[in-house]
Amino acid sequence: MPLRSDPLDRLAVPDGTTVEERDLVTAGDVVVGGQSTVEFGVRGRGVVAGERVTFGGDIEAEADCRLDMWCDVAGNVLVGEDAYIGERTHIGGQLMVSGDLDIGDDVDIERGFEANGWIVIRNPMPTITFFFVYLSHLLRIGEEEAAQDAANELLSDDEGDESEGEESDADVDDADAPTGPAPLVIPRGASVSDDAWRVSTPAFVGDDCRIHGNLRAASLDVGEDNNVFGSLRAKGDITVGEGTRIHGDVTTRKGTVRIAPGAEVLGDVACEDLSLHDDAAVDGAIRARGEMSIVREFAREIE
């Protein structure tokens, strides 16, 4: 899954992400932009949240967990390594940390906390720290170029840039670049729930995912062999990948809907233009205001 220089410019759901009961589960990290609402609990390698993010369940992080100020977690926070909890954050259950704990002022933990390492009480999560967390995620999945672009944007605002020819800390040799599962990225101001995933940005869903909720975005690219228990709606283009099943309608105001071979839409399709593979299936009505074509070849276009 390619990422650009702004890691929060779209909803990005990596391969294999599932909704299990009330938890959103992914193999990689979870990155949530500020002022978002995630009504699920989340489970991933690491969890990073901006300011004023609300979680409706537990947080389980195999590695680090970083919550910026004014976050609200309805359940427990279980952390396999270190935790960084910003000031005025509320945790409705227990905070259990296997490593060190940095905790800000006026943090409310209803059922107490325990840390096996050092405990430091302060405000550990300024905006600059959150920015560098983004860079670490980019480097972990091998996006050195995107990380360098983001670092250059930050350094251009500082006093004095790096001298020409001096090696930057963000420079990583391609052969030694770390790799790992792509992060689940939820952009700033998003709302994610069992009813609907609402973002004002484009949205990308990888392969082999199981998603509960209607997807609402500027545009939608849904990969292969997914099960989406809800409808798709976008202002722009919508792509439904091979073998994916949509348990609802597919609707776009002005864009093109492209449906791959083996895909199935258990609802209506409404769009400007439609490209439908002859091995795809639509159980409901089809309304295309512009051109409608039945195709035998399909190439998925990924930004």
Side-chain angles (χ1 to χ4, degrees):
M1 180 189 67
L3 291 176
R4 288 160 284 183
S5 59
D6 181 359
L8 291 180
D9 63 357
R10 63 174 176 170
L11 172 67
V13 182
D15 297 349
T17 298
T18 60
V19 175
E20 301 177 6
E21 295 182 353
R22 294 294 300 168
D23 289 336
L24 185 55
V25 182
T26 190
D29 297 319
V30 179
V31 182
V32 185
Q35 301 185 29
S36 294
T37 298
V38 181
E39 294 188 13
F40 299 111
V42 296
R43 301 197 332 243
R45 183 184 182 280
V47 177
V48 180
E51 79 284 353
R52 298 181 185 275
V53 173
T54 299
F55 294 93
D58 297 339
I59 292 177
E60 297 183 32
E62 295 177 10
D64 293 350
C65 177
R66 300 171 182 265
L67 305 179
D68 206 344
M69 61 181 65
W70 296 100
C71 287
D72 192 306
V73 182
N76 301 315
V77 177
L78 309 177
V79 185
E81 296 182 9
D82 300 333
Y84 308 82
I85 310 298
E87 62 183 359
R88 301 183 186 279
T89 289
H90 169 260
I91 297 174
Q94 289 182 309
L95 171 63
M96 306 292 290
V97 182
S98 296
D100 299 335
L101 170 62
D102 276 8
I103 188 167
D105 296 332
D106 298 322
V107 172
D108 179 19
I109 305 171
E110 292 190 9
R111 297 178 59 189
F113 68 91
E114 179 180 326
N116 291 333
W118 293 98
I119 299 176
V120 179
I121 300 176
R122 58 181 176 178
N123 179 21
M125 192 67 172
T127 302
I128 191 68
T129 303
F130 192 47
F131 184 91
F132 279 110
V133 172
Y134 294 160
L135 295 185
S136 72
H137 288 299
L138 291 174
L139 292 173
R140 184 176 296 133
I141 64 172
E143 292 289 336
E144 302 82 21
E145 206 174 305
Q148 182 65 65
D149 290 343
N152 289 340
E153 290 179 15
L154 174 67
L155 293 173
S156 65
D157 295 331
D158 290 341
E159 296 180 2
D161 296 326
E162 292 182 7
S163 60
E164 187 174 350
E166 184 177 349
E167 184 179 5
S168 168
D169 290 339
D171 289 331
V172 179
D173 183 69
D174 287 344
D176 299 327
T179 59
L184 168 63
V185 179
I186 298 175
R188 182 179 180 86
S191 175
V192 176
S193 71
D194 198 47
D195 175 62
W197 298 45
R198 301 180 187 276
V199 298
S200 58
T201 65
F204 172 88
V205 178
D207 303 332
D208 300 305
C209 297
R210 182 182 178 90
I211 304 297
H212 288 258
N214 304 306
L215 300 183
R216 305 288 185 259
S219 62
L220 278 162
D221 183 349
V222 181
E224 300 179 357
D225 299 317
N226 297 298
N227 252 313
V228 179
F229 294 89
S231 61
L232 308 182
R233 182 179 298 171
K235 296 179 180 178
D237 296 345
I238 298 176
T239 298
V240 180
E242 186 172 349
T244 285
R245 174 175 286 192
I246 307 298
H247 297 256
D249 299 335
V250 175
T251 307
T252 174
R253 293 183 186 176
K254 301 179 180 179
T256 298
V257 170
R258 303 173 70 247
I259 303 178
E264 186 174 3
V265 177
L266 304 178
D268 299 339
V269 174
C271 56
E272 185 68 29
D273 299 320
L274 174 65
S275 176
L276 177 67
H277 195 276
D278 63 357
D279 286 336
V282 176
D283 287 359
I286 296 176
R287 295 183 294 275
R289 294 177 291 274
E291 179 181 349
M292 183 172 67
S293 58
I294 307 298
V295 300
R296 292 185 178 275
E297 296 184 2
F298 186 92
R300 186 178 171 201
E301 298 175 359
I302 302 178
E303 295 181 2

